[in-house]
Amino acid sequence: MRGSRVLSGGIAAAMVMTAASVVMRPVTARADTVPVMVIHGGAGVIKADMSPERRKIVLAALAHALDAGYAALKAGKPAPDAVVAAIHVLEDDPNFNAGKGAVFTHDGHNEMDAAIMDGATLRAGAIAGVQHVRNPISLARAVMDHSPHVLLIGAGAEAFARTQGIALVDTSYFWTQRRWDQLQRALKEDAAHAQHADETTDRHFGTVGAVALDKAGHLAAGTSTGGMTDKLWGRVGDSPLIGAGTYANAGCAMSGTGWGEFYIRTVAAHEICMRVTAMHDSLAHAADDVINHEIPALGGNGGAILVDSAGDIAMPFNTDGMYRAWVGRDGVPHAAIFQ
């Protein structure tokens, strides 16, 4: 079971779950819940790409984001606040494909997507194809809280951002040499009608996300991404699509990272959470079945982070690695990259 991880009480343990081990848990919010936080910075990490220096930088960034989100939970703030706080840090860090580190489209633009969902109310907000929003997750939150809609796109989303005082920046803010070089390699290969030789360019895993369980026993999930390097025609992946790459209800929250087209086709996040809350499957089994079996069977791959109302955590992935960090019920922070 490649990359399937489930944590209970904050203690990491590889577990093989069967239908016989499924235990039904009532989905009941409690005022004395111990908060839990999980974040990811994308799957598809390749060991050969990771120098000791880069590994140190990435782990520090994950720890910083985790601290920001978990601090909100410890202060008694609701799960959506914690999700936004953690994702803000990752969006501001050029090491991740979201916000400042967003990849370039075929036409040389940065187009960003994001979504957030409040499991307690089933309210959700999402944006797609924005080019000037410094923190896309903030705009997604504003859509959820201050509009009658769920998904806004492009210029319309940015017009709404202006009404909400959401920070807009010049497109130059998102330019980074590393992402620009990736695009140039891809364009040369496009011209030669060659497959992308650069695995970083050819991967579909550039996403950040967070899931949280707050002291009130409520869940939330959020995801933010710059999409795919060299993408065409205004492509939108699974991240801003509620039920595909992002979903939360009263018993389960998920943020995905992977080849978005396959997460859309399997409605991956909703599928897992419905198995947990309606079919009473264990979080570990449901997550492993969808991420490590259903999606690969169609030709896709990737990973996900999940937490349920009991505070159990699952982090399945079927790639070499997935940037991830978490605080379980024991309150101890962890971070990892590879298997």
Side-chain angles (χ1 to χ4, degrees), residues 51-187:
S51 66
E53 294 77 14
R54 178 162 175 76
R55 183 186 181 103
K56 182 178 180 180
I57 290 170
V58 168
L59 288 173
L62 290 170
H64 181 30
L66 183 68
D67 287 346
Y70 192 63
L73 294 177
K74 289 194 295 182
K77 293 184 179 180
D81 286 2
V83 165
V84 170
I87 292 178
H88 265 189
V89 174
L90 299 173
E91 287 178 334
D92 290 342
D93 191 315
N95 287 290
F96 303 97
N97 178 19
K100 176 65 175 174
V103 299
F104 287 92
T105 68
H106 180 80
D107 294 329
H109 304 300
N110 306 103
E111 293 180 354
M112 292 152 286
D113 312 327
I116 189 168
M117 188 164 187
D118 181 353
T121 63
L122 296 185
R123 294 183 306 120
I127 51 96
V130 298
Q131 297 185 21
H132 298 88
V133 180
R134 175 168 179 161
N135 291 109
I137 194 65
S138 290
L139 182 53
R141 176 71 184 274
V143 172
M144 180 176 77
D145 289 344
H146 303 298
S147 87
H149 307 300
V150 171
L151 175 62
L152 300 180
I153 65 171
E158 295 191 352
F160 175 70
R162 293 184 184 92
T163 72
Q164 299 299 306
I166 301 294
L168 300 178
V169 294
D170 186 81
T171 56
S172 60
Y173 168 81
F174 302 102
W175 194 97
T176 63
Q177 190 68 54
R178 175 168 167 255
R179 299 304 192 192
W180 185 251
D181 290 346
Q182 286 176 4
L183 175 63
Q184 301 316 302
R185 288 192 294 270
L187 292 176

Side-chain angles (χ1 to χ4, degrees), residues 134-311:
R134 175 168 179 161
N135 291 109
I137 194 65
S138 290
L139 182 53
R141 176 71 184 274
V143 172
M144 180 176 77
D145 289 344
H146 303 298
S147 87
H149 307 300
V150 171
L151 175 62
L152 300 180
I153 65 171
E158 295 191 352
F160 175 70
R162 293 184 184 92
T163 72
Q164 299 299 306
I166 301 294
L168 300 178
V169 294
D170 186 81
T171 56
S172 60
Y173 168 81
F174 302 102
W175 194 97
T176 63
Q177 190 68 54
R178 175 168 167 255
R179 299 304 192 192
W180 185 251
D181 290 346
Q182 286 176 4
L183 175 63
Q184 301 316 302
R185 288 192 294 270
L187 292 176
K188 288 180 181 178
E189 289 157 352
D190 290 344
H193 303 287
Q195 183 177 357
H196 292 161
D198 176 13
E199 291 184 89
T200 300
T201 301
D202 199 42
R203 276 177 269 157
H204 311 272
F205 308 100
T207 317
V208 307
V211 293
L213 173 68
D214 63 28
K215 287 185 176 182
H218 297 150
L219 295 160
T223 313
S224 182
T225 185
M228 293 167 53
T229 297
D230 195 29
K231 69 179 181 180
L232 297 168
W233 310 306
R235 179 260 187 188
V236 175
D238 64 306
S239 296
L241 301 185
I242 301 303
T246 306
Y247 188 77
N249 60 21
C252 170
M254 174 182 145
S255 173
T257 169
W259 195 336
E261 280 70 14
F262 294 92
Y263 283 63
I264 295 169
R265 289 165 60 187
T266 57
V267 200
H270 184 266
E271 170 76 6
I272 293 171
C273 286
M274 284 300 100
R275 290 190 185 200
V276 171
T277 57
M279 298 173 64
H280 314 306
D281 201 353
S282 72
L283 187 72
H285 183 266
D288 175 68
D289 197 33
V290 173
I291 300 300
N292 288 332
H293 297 280
E294 283 192 14
I295 288 175
L298 293 176
N301 49 8
I305 55 171
L306 303 100
V307 63
D308 66 16
S309 58

